[in-house]
Amino acid sequence: MVTAVEPKETSKSPSVSHRRDDLSSRLPLRAAQYVRMSTEHQRYSTENQSDAIGRYALERGFEIVRTYEDAGRSGLNIDGRQGLQNLLADIEGRRADFSVVLVYDVSRWGRFPDSDEAAFYEYRCRAAGVNVIYCAEQFENDGSIGSDVQKVVKRRMAAEYSRELSVKVFAGQKRLIELGFRQGGPPGFGLRRQLVDERGNSKGLLDRQQHKSIQTDRVILVPGPSEEAQTVTRIYRDFVDGQLNESEIADRLNRQGIRTDLGRLWTRGTVHQVLINEKYIGHNVWNRGSFKLKQRRVRNGPEAWIRADNVFEPIVDRTLYDTAQAIIEARCRRMTDAEMLELLRRILDRKGALSGLLIDETDDCPSSGSFQRRFGSLVRAYQLVGYTPERDYAYIGINRALRRLHPTVIAEVIDGLKRFGGRVSRDESSELLIVNDEFSVSAVIARCRETAAGKLRWRVRLERSLLPDITVAVRMDGSNIAARDYLILPTVYMDEPVLRLHEYNGISIDSYLFDTLEPLFEMAERISLKEVA
């Protein structure tokens, strides 16, 4: 049951109760409600919050005219919370047609690790003339000393709850890793995720983006189709026995028509990841990187990794794997610090910038991980060659690499359309693809950007002047080496020149996101009238 204690009058500001004494003589106060649910408790569902807020509004004489919602969103930061962002934008943009915001309790406003951040967002509302009221708290948010003290305590309690939960979750995940169970992430080329029950009995394979639904079920890695497992072994053999480098192996795989587990072309970086990942010899390694309390992504050193050896069925012989690691390490060991830094300077002179991607895609160069191990961090190596990454310019090298990737994407689209029986021509002036003389397609690549809080963002530039019928936007992954997914967007959504995408954008956009380009290719398929009949 929602209860509230009427505040005492203060000389500093009028109380909420005083402002409501004459409710019977005027119209109800217009209010907006803000509801947020993470995943921790059903009692915090947005429906339950709305019901409680509705009862509070009825008792206090408020009329709810707007709802701002963040469903399935963490309260640890504001990134990804579009509802709260829209609320603040409407209030500060003077578009709000309400004078108060009703929130279930302090924790729904946020569980910010820094309680001052929660106070900051509330202050922004109040400075624009809109008060925030917490309906289920035992205090009125009236500016009195008592309410301010209780708010500070509640905010710290909300933050401490998240910290304690993070510690418990980490301990649980660590225990599962040590028991040999997989924790998150795609299996990788040549491997599959197998669902097992609490007794270890197989319940079948999980497809991409499928998840376990029973709490006691677990996931392990098993070898995938034999042809994929053989390809993994051949990658190691070509590298060790054939003395081919990663770029040469990638070219060979692409010429043979072999694609990655995501159906994409191989690159030096994707081959290198196969060569260095211990899961191919049956080891379970976790916590290489962390993102605690969604504040800052950290790359952990080997001493912080959680591991369990020999818990999965291996694909690659251990001796072959160790030989490959020795070759990779030797590439770094052969060079002195001065030689490695000189190589870094040459990359900088040639590319105009430095990044892990540029290093990993440079032939006959130690990997970015080798530079990290040798100099402590990439940033330290950059500093030693006189390069300071700047937020505004560090993307230059990535953009160059993506421009080189664009012809490959166009070729992939054309090949797929033709494979489904479509006729494709290319308009040389506009570079649009004309399919079956029926519709036009524009292909763009969207670079992945990471916010300070570790969130992924994309900007898709739309060719509004050309107005293609379909825009295919390739959303790159966090490393900007491989495609993450594909946005197949009809012209009707091209109201703006730039589309700003988050990891999750709501059904109106995410319904056009696909793991492959097959839905586009199927649009070009020709079906005989007899088959249709």
Side-chain angles (χ1 to χ4, degrees), residues 312-344:
F312 303 140
E313 182 180 346
I315 292 180
V316 177
D317 177 76
R318 179 60 186 268
T319 301
L320 181 61
Y321 177 86
D322 289 342
T323 304
Q325 306 319 301
I327 293 173
I328 293 172
E329 287 298 321
R331 291 191 307 206
C332 175
R333 267 198 307 271
R334 284 198 302 267
M335 293 184 178
T336 65
D337 289 359
E339 289 171 334
M340 289 185 68
L341 293 176
E342 178 57 31
L343 183 55
L344 209 56

Side-chain angles (χ1 to χ4, degrees), residues 45 48 68 75 77 86 104 117 150 256 287-288 291 323 377 380 424 437 447 467 474 485 504 516 521:
S45 72
N48 289 346
Y68 296 86
N77 56 45
N86 291 341
Y104 179 73
E117 186 173 357
Q150 291 186 70
Q256 294 172 349
N287 200 41
R288 293 176 184 268
F291 186 34
T323 304
S377 70
R380 174 60 178 161
V424 185
D437 293 324
R447 179 171 66 90
L467 285 180
V474 183
D485 51 28
Y504 304 99
T516 71
F521 301 155

